[in-house]
PDB file of all heavy atoms in Angstrom:
ATOM      1  N   ALA A 319      91.457  81.921 109.031  1.00 98.00           N
ATOM      2  CA  ALA A 319      92.094  80.626 108.794  1.00 98.00           C
ATOM      3  C   ALA A 319      91.182  79.471 109.188  1.00 98.00           C
ATOM      4  O   ALA A 319      91.292  78.371 108.636  1.00 98.00           O
ATOM      5  CB  ALA A 319      93.405  80.543 109.569  1.00 98.00           C
ATOM      6  N   GLY A 320      90.263  79.725 110.115  1.00 97.00           N
ATOM      7  CA  GLY A 320      89.320  78.695 110.530  1.00 97.00           C
ATOM      8  C   GLY A 320      88.433  78.195 109.409  1.00 97.00           C
ATOM      9  O   GLY A 320      87.824  77.122 109.536  1.00 97.00           O
ATOM     10  N   LEU A 321      88.350  78.925 108.312  1.00 98.00           N
ATOM     11  CA  LEU A 321      87.603  78.444 107.153  1.00 98.00           C
ATOM     12  C   LEU A 321      88.254  77.214 106.538  1.00 98.00           C
ATOM     13  O   LEU A 321      87.592  76.422 105.858  1.00 98.00           O
ATOM     14  CB  LEU A 321      87.491  79.546 106.092  1.00 98.00           C
ATOM     15  CG  LEU A 321      86.642  80.776 106.430  1.00 98.00           C
ATOM     16  CD1 LEU A 321      86.843  81.859 105.380  1.00 98.00           C
ATOM     17  CD2 LEU A 321      85.167  80.403 106.548  1.00 98.00           C
ATOM     18  N   GLY A 322      89.571  77.077 106.725  1.00 97.00           N
ATOM     19  CA  GLY A 322      90.287  75.932 106.188  1.00 97.00           C
ATOM     20  C   GLY A 322      90.377  75.892 104.675  1.00 97.00           C
ATOM     21  O   GLY A 322      90.513  74.824 104.078  1.00 97.00           O
ATOM     22  N   LEU A 323      90.328  77.061 104.034  1.00 98.00           N
ATOM     23  CA  LEU A 323      90.321  77.130 102.575  1.00 98.00           C
ATOM     24  C   LEU A 323      91.718  77.398 102.012  1.00 98.00           C
ATOM     25  O   LEU A 323      92.523  78.090 102.655  1.00 98.00           O
ATOM     26  CB  LEU A 323      89.392  78.249 102.104  1.00 98.00           C
ATOM     27  CG  LEU A 323      87.895  78.039 102.323  1.00 98.00           C
ATOM     28  CD1 LEU A 323      87.135  79.333 102.075  1.00 98.00           C
ATOM     29  CD2 LEU A 323      87.377  76.933 101.401  1.00 98.00           C
ATOM     30  N   PRO A 324      92.025  76.886 100.823  1.00 98.00           N
ATOM     31  CA  PRO A 324      93.228  77.354 100.126  1.00 98.00           C
ATOM     32  C   PRO A 324      93.133  78.878  99.967  1.00 98.00           C
ATOM     33  O   PRO A 324      92.121  79.379  99.474  1.00 98.00           O
ATOM     34  CB  PRO A 324      93.148  76.643  98.771  1.00 98.00           C
ATOM     35  CG  PRO A 324      92.230  75.480  98.992  1.00 98.00           C
ATOM     36  CD  PRO A 324      91.245  75.925 100.026  1.00 98.00           C
ATOM     37  N   THR A 325      94.178  79.597 100.388  1.00 98.00           N
ATOM     38  CA  THR A 325      94.053  81.051 100.552  1.00 98.00           C
ATOM     39  C   THR A 325      95.225  81.807  99.955  1.00 98.00           C
ATOM     40  O   THR A 325      96.387  81.474 100.211  1.00 98.00           O
ATOM     41  CB  THR A 325      93.937  81.409 102.047  1.00 98.00           C
ATOM     42  OG1 THR A 325      92.803  80.728 102.615  1.00 98.00           O
ATOM     43  CG2 THR A 325      93.774  82.905 102.245  1.00 98.00           C
ATOM     44  N   VAL A 326      94.903  82.828  99.173  1.00 98.00           N
ATOM     45  CA  VAL A 326      95.893  83.795  98.699  1.00 98.00           C
ATOM     46  C   VAL A 326      95.701  85.081  99.489  1.00 98.00           C
ATOM     47  O   VAL A 326      94.605  85.648  99.507  1.00 98.00           O
ATOM     48  CB  VAL A 326      95.737  84.072  97.193  1.00 98.00           C
ATOM     49  CG1 VAL A 326      96.737  85.150  96.749  1.00 98.00           C
ATOM     50  CG2 VAL A 326      95.942  82.797  96.391  1.00 98.00           C
ATOM     51  N   ILE A 327      96.745  85.522 100.157  1.00 98.00           N
ATOM     52  CA  ILE A 327      96.712  86.764 100.938  1.00 98.00           C
ATOM     53  C   ILE A 327      97.391  87.840 100.097  1.00 98.00           C
ATOM     54  O   ILE A 327      98.578  87.732  99.764  1.00 98.00           O
ATOM     55  CB  ILE A 327      97.430  86.596 102.282  1.00 98.00           C
ATOM     56  CG1 ILE A 327      96.754  85.492 103.106  1.00 98.00           C
ATOM     57  CG2 ILE A 327      97.437  87.917 103.056  1.00 98.00           C
ATOM     58  CD1 ILE A 327      97.581  85.023 104.288  1.00 98.00           C
ATOM     59  N   VAL A 328      96.643  88.871  99.721  1.00 99.00           N
ATOM     60  CA  VAL A 328      97.127  89.927  98.834  1.00 99.00           C
ATOM     61  C   VAL A 328      97.260  91.225  99.631  1.00 99.00           C
ATOM     62  O   VAL A 328      96.281  91.687 100.220  1.00 99.00           O
ATOM     63  CB  VAL A 328      96.173  90.125  97.646  1.00 99.00           C
ATOM     64  CG1 VAL A 328      96.624  91.301  96.782  1.00 99.00           C
ATOM     65  CG2 VAL A 328      96.087  88.855  96.806  1.00 99.00           C
ATOM     66  N   GLN A 329      98.449  91.805  99.633  1.00 98.00           N
ATOM     67  CA  GLN A 329      98.652  93.044 100.381  1.00 98.00           C
ATOM     68  C   GLN A 329      97.923  94.203  99.720  1.00 98.00           C
ATOM     69  O   GLN A 329      98.062  94.437  98.516  1.00 98.00           O
ATOM     70  CB  GLN A 329     100.143  93.375 100.479  1.00 98.00           C
ATOM     71  CG  GLN A 329     100.450  94.548 101.387  1.00 98.00           C
ATOM     72  CD  GLN A 329     100.071  94.257 102.825  1.00 98.00           C
ATOM     73  OE1 GLN A 329     100.496  93.261 103.389  1.00 98.00           O
ATOM     74  NE2 GLN A 329      99.274  95.131 103.428  1.00 98.00           N
ATOM     75  N   GLU A 330      97.168  94.936 100.531  1.00 98.00           N
ATOM     76  CA  GLU A 330      96.530  96.168 100.071  1.00 98.00           C
ATOM     77  C   GLU A 330      97.153  97.333 100.832  1.00 98.00           C
ATOM     78  O   GLU A 330      98.336  97.609 100.673  1.00 98.00           O
ATOM     79  CB  GLU A 330      95.007  96.073 100.266  1.00 98.00           C
ATOM     80  CG  GLU A 330      94.345  94.965  99.450  1.00 98.00           C
ATOM     81  CD  GLU A 330      94.294  95.225  97.944  1.00 98.00           C
ATOM     82  OE1 GLU A 330      94.706  96.309  97.505  1.00 98.00           O
ATOM     83  OE2 GLU A 330      93.845  94.330  97.207  1.00 98.00           O
ATOM     84  N   GLY A 331      96.393  98.034 101.673  1.00 97.00           N
ATOM     85  CA  GLY A 331      96.908  99.199 102.371  1.00 97.00           C
ATOM     86  C   GLY A 331      97.718  98.846 103.610  1.00 97.00           C
ATOM     87  O   GLY A 331      98.014  97.683 103.896  1.00 97.00           O
ATOM     88  N   GLY A 332      98.023  99.878 104.375  1.00 98.00           N
ATOM     89  CA  GLY A 332      98.901  99.784 105.533  1.00 98.00           C
ATOM     90  C   GLY A 332     100.069 100.712 105.285  1.00 98.00           C
ATOM     91  O   GLY A 332     100.904 100.444 104.418  1.00 98.00           O
TER      92      GLY A 332
END
Side-chain angles (χ1 to χ4, degrees):
L321 293 170
L323 291 168
T325 302
V326 177
I327 300 166
V328 176
Q329 187 64 54
E330 297 289 356

